[in-house]
Amino acid sequence: MAKKRKPQQTPNVGLIYLRVSTKEQMENLSMEVQEARCTEWCRNKGITVDAVFHDDGKSARTTQRPEFQKMLAHVASRMGRIGYVVVHDLSRFARNMEDQIEVMSGLRSVGVLVRSVMEDVDETAAGKMVTNMHGLMNQFFSDRNAERTRVGMENSARIGRFPFK
């Protein structure tokens, strides 16, 4: 008779990942608000915060963000001892659906779950749907913003303004 495998328990240890994309957000306490809310969320869930990573002025359209990469390396270096990555909302984690799916899947494969203070994301069917819907909306928002910016810059150039820094 085969031995029953004991389900692996997720460690109650988490990392907090924070991100702002603009200088204005850095100046208006957005990072501090995100950190305070994530820390409180962890405390309420009984999760010990192992480390906090924050990318200042970085876009979430790519995973090539210095602190995001450090966070992933930290997970790898503490394999089996980290159970969660906590974000204020999923738009702080990714604004590219492929990246969100790939990174969350990679984290899940090593026993790390992504949790959001603002969205009910979990491994239930409804939680997966919510996660994917937010990922889709975050990418739409980012893509739409890029389109508007490009149109505005083209119009500025057409009337003789120099739209670049």
Side-chain angles (χ1 to χ4, degrees):
M1 182 187 277
K3 276 187 170 181
K4 282 190 175 182
R5 291 181 66 190
K6 187 178 177 183
Q8 190 171 348
Q9 188 173 352
T10 303
N12 277 342
V13 177
L15 306 177
I16 293 175
Y17 176 74
L18 315 167
R19 182 190 66 79
V20 294
S21 54
T22 66
K23 185 178 179 181
E24 291 79 22
Q25 288 175 320
M26 291 178 351
E27 293 170 352
N28 75 5
L29 302 178
S30 179
M31 194 71 83
E32 289 84 354
V33 169
Q34 286 182 50
E35 185 168 359
R37 297 206 58 211
C38 288
T39 301
E40 178 183 354
W41 188 92
C42 288
R43 185 174 43 253
N44 290 340
K45 301 290 183 183
I47 296 170
T48 302
V49 176
D50 184 58
V52 177
F53 300 87
H54 53 88
D55 276 310
D56 299 331
K58 301 293 179 192
S59 169
R61 289 181 64 89
T62 175
T63 60
Q64 297 309 308
R65 294 170 257 151
E67 291 292 306
F68 192 82
Q69 290 300 315
K70 283 182 187 176
M71 180 215 28
L72 295 176
H74 191 82
V75 167
S77 74
R78 299 191 37 90
M79 192 68 70
R81 292 179 280 181
I82 302 294
Y84 300 93
V85 169
V86 178
V87 295
H88 186 258
D89 67 76
L90 290 174
S91 72
R92 306 297 87 200
F93 187 78
R95 288 223 171 159
N96 175 307
M97 191 69 182
E98 288 177 29
D99 289 344
Q100 177 177 301
I101 291 168
E102 182 180 329
V103 175
M104 287 178 84
S105 176
L107 288 169
R108 197 171 32 256
S109 74
V110 296
V112 178
L113 305 173
V114 175
R115 292 294 182 256
S116 167
V117 171
M118 297 299 292
E119 296 111 356
D120 285 329
V121 298
D122 58 33
E123 285 60 53
T124 64
K128 290 175 186 176
M129 182 187 72
V130 167
T131 301
N132 290 333
M133 288 176 59
H134 280 286
L136 187 63
M137 293 306 296
N138 291 334
Q139 180 163 345
F140 170 76
F141 176 80
S142 184
D143 290 348
R144 183 72 165 184
N145 202 26
E147 287 173 356
R148 280 193 220 117
T149 299
R150 188 181 66 252
V151 167
M153 292 173 84
E154 288 169 354
N155 285 333
S156 290
R158 201 177 349 269
I159 63 171
R161 290 191 194 141
F162 194 69
F164 309 101
K165 291 182 181 178

Short mmCIF file of all heavy atoms in Angstrom, two decimals, residues 3-9:
data_model
loop_
_atom_site.label_atom_id
_atom_site.label_comp_id
_atom_site.label_asym_id
_atom_site.label_seq_id
_atom_site.Cartn_x
_atom_site.Cartn_y
_atom_site.Cartn_z
N LYS A 3 2.14 5.00 0.68
CA LYS A 3 2.01 5.94 1.79
C LYS A 3 1.25 7.17 1.33
O LYS A 3 1.45 7.66 0.22
CB LYS A 3 3.39 6.40 2.27
CG LYS A 3 4.05 5.50 3.24
CD LYS A 3 5.31 6.17 3.73
CE LYS A 3 5.91 5.44 4.89
NZ LYS A 3 7.11 6.11 5.38
N LYS A 4 0.40 7.66 2.20
CA LYS A 4 -0.27 8.93 1.90
C LYS A 4 0.71 10.06 2.13
O LYS A 4 1.42 10.07 3.14
CB LYS A 4 -1.49 9.12 2.80
CG LYS A 4 -2.68 8.33 2.39
CD LYS A 4 -3.89 8.78 3.20
CE LYS A 4 -5.12 8.08 2.70
NZ LYS A 4 -6.31 8.51 3.41
N ARG A 5 0.74 10.97 1.17
CA ARG A 5 1.62 12.12 1.32
C ARG A 5 0.91 13.18 2.13
O ARG A 5 -0.26 13.50 1.89
CB ARG A 5 2.00 12.69 -0.05
CG ARG A 5 2.91 11.76 -0.81
CD ARG A 5 3.29 12.33 -2.13
NE ARG A 5 4.10 13.51 -1.91
CZ ARG A 5 4.44 14.35 -2.87
NH1 ARG A 5 4.05 14.15 -4.09
NH2 ARG A 5 5.19 15.41 -2.61
N LYS A 6 1.61 13.70 3.09
CA LYS A 6 1.08 14.78 3.91
C LYS A 6 1.11 16.06 3.07
O LYS A 6 2.13 16.39 2.49
CB LYS A 6 1.95 14.94 5.15
CG LYS A 6 1.41 15.91 6.16
CD LYS A 6 2.31 15.96 7.38
CE LYS A 6 1.83 16.97 8.38
NZ LYS A 6 2.72 17.07 9.52
N PRO A 7 -0.04 16.79 2.97
CA PRO A 7 -0.01 18.02 2.19
C PRO A 7 0.98 19.01 2.79
O PRO A 7 1.08 19.16 4.01
CB PRO A 7 -1.45 18.56 2.30
CG PRO A 7 -2.17 17.69 3.25
CD PRO A 7 -1.31 16.53 3.60
N GLN A 8 1.74 19.63 1.89
CA GLN A 8 2.74 20.58 2.35
C GLN A 8 2.06 21.86 2.82
O GLN A 8 1.20 22.40 2.14
CB GLN A 8 3.72 20.90 1.22
CG GLN A 8 4.91 21.69 1.69
CD GLN A 8 5.96 21.78 0.58
OE1 GLN A 8 5.89 21.09 -0.41
NE2 GLN A 8 6.91 22.63 0.77
N GLN A 9 2.43 22.32 3.98
CA GLN A 9 1.84 23.52 4.55
C GLN A 9 2.64 24.73 4.09
O GLN A 9 3.87 24.71 4.08
CB GLN A 9 1.84 23.44 6.07
CG GLN A 9 1.07 24.57 6.70
CD GLN A 9 0.94 24.37 8.20
OE1 GLN A 9 1.30 23.33 8.74
NE2 GLN A 9 0.43 25.37 8.87
#
